Amino acid sequence: MTQQSVQLLLQMLTALGSLVAGASIVFIARQFIIMKRQLLDNRKWNRMSMAFCHLPNSNELNSIEDNLNKSFIKLIDRTDPISNDDVDRLFSENGSEIKLLLKNYLNELESYCAAINMGVVDEDVAIRVYGYKFVRHYLELEPFIERMRTHLN
């Protein structure tokens, strides 16, 4: 083998080594992209799964809502905000049992909202499952909520 043949062979091996190294870098970069996508998908799945773990128990909520609907609060049948007279009634001694039930109900919804705000629960799942209920009850019970805030603070 001549000197030129050896040099040509070395150049070819160097070029081949460069191609293999380049292909390896592309392959590794692609693997990192796939791994990142899998981690994001896994995170999304875990948040969606947690949404169902943290959801308020529907039987419990239905029971509380039913009891509140049987009272003067009419939680399910209500279509407009609670009146100041009803709020006063809740803060009277006669309304203390209903007030406690309503407070516990709202606390249950609030804890779920906190899980959403902290990113533990997937917001899209939460909105699809209970979004209507949260917004509706907040708007209807806002006078009571405001009174509770000022009363406790």
Side-chain angles (χ1 to χ4, degrees), residues 6 9 21 52 60 77-78 88 95 98 113 120 126 142 146-147:
V6 171
L9 182 62
F52 291 104
E60 223 174 90
D77 297 336
R78 175 174 296 286
D88 291 338
I98 297 168
C113 290
V120 174
E142 189 175 14
E146 291 303 319
R147 177 83 63 89

Side-chain angles (χ1 to χ4, degrees), residues 101-117:
L101 191 61
L102 183 57
K103 182 179 165 231
N104 289 339
Y105 177 76
L106 291 172
N107 283 341
E108 187 75 30
L109 297 183
E110 185 178 25
S111 68
Y112 190 60
C113 290
I116 296 166
N117 289 335

Side-chain angles (χ1 to χ4, degrees), residues 11-98:
Q11 286 176 348
M12 287 175 49
L13 288 175
T14 303
L16 181 64
S18 296
L19 284 174
V20 169
S24 297
I25 290 171
V26 169
F27 178 76
I28 290 170
R30 177 137 171 81
Q31 289 300 314
F32 277 122
I33 290 168
I34 291 170
M35 187 173 68
K36 180 182 177 187
R37 188 177 309 135
Q38 287 174 340
L39 287 171
L40 291 174
D41 287 347
N42 192 22
R43 182 173 184 253
K44 177 79 171 167
W45 172 256
N46 287 341
R47 287 178 49 160
M48 289 171 53
S49 180
M50 288 302 288
F52 291 104
C53 291
H54 284 294
L55 277 172
N57 183 321
S58 62
N59 291 332
E60 223 174 90
L61 283 183
N62 289 341
S63 173
I64 295 172
E65 288 171 345
D66 188 46
N67 287 335
L68 287 169
N69 198 53
K70 290 176 185 173
S71 72
F72 64 92
I73 297 298
K74 300 287 183 221
L75 186 69
I76 298 169
D77 297 336
R78 175 174 296 286
T79 57
D80 47 346
I82 190 171
S83 70
N84 286 329
D85 291 338
D86 285 344
V87 173
D88 291 338
R89 211 167 146 192
L90 282 167
F91 280 86
S92 72
E93 286 189 30
N94 293 339
S96 62
E97 185 179 322
I98 297 168

